[in-house]
Amino acid sequence: MWKESSLDEPRESEEGSYIPLEIESWGENPEEACLQSDLQRVLSEVIQKLDPKSRTIFTLRDVEKFSIEETAKLLSLSIPVVKTRLLRSRLKLREELTKYFGKDARNAMPTRHR
């Protein structure tokens, strides 16, 4: 059975002192939401700085999660070309992100081949 309680009803502890009613928020933490929004904005800006071919490869591979082989086939490129452009894209993004976040951004994006 569902028990209803008034939010305004005072509650007292065994000692007689007032206990505030705690209501858990299931919403997003405002600070985390703001940081997430800022990060999304910065990432979008940095990705837009890539040349169109590199941006396409990066988006297909690291955002859309296509494999190297799938990306190469979709773009009619060889696998080595996709790998080379992806590596260059990641390095460029890491360089740009370092401008925003300092040296901590260096480890933000792996550059090894997958």
Side-chain angles (χ1 to χ4, degrees), residues 60-61 64-76 79 82:
L60 287 173
R61 180 68 186 104
E64 300 294 330
K65 303 297 183 196
F66 283 89
S67 69
I68 295 286
E69 294 77 14
E70 292 168 325
T71 302
K73 188 174 180 180
L74 282 169
L75 301 175
S76 301
I79 289 174
V82 170

Side-chain angles (χ1 to χ4, degrees), residues 36-79:
Q36 188 72 9
S37 174
D38 285 348
L39 179 59
Q40 290 289 339
R41 180 187 52 77
V42 168
L43 285 173
S44 292
E45 288 175 11
V46 169
I47 290 170
Q48 289 303 311
K49 290 182 179 182
L50 294 172
D51 66 87
K53 291 178 185 177
S54 296
R55 184 171 51 243
T56 300
I57 290 172
F58 176 81
T59 301
L60 287 173
R61 180 68 186 104
D62 287 347
V63 177
E64 300 294 330
K65 303 297 183 196
F66 283 89
S67 69
I68 295 286
E69 294 77 14
E70 292 168 325
T71 302
K73 188 174 180 180
L74 282 169
L75 301 175
S76 301
L77 298 170
S78 70
I79 289 174

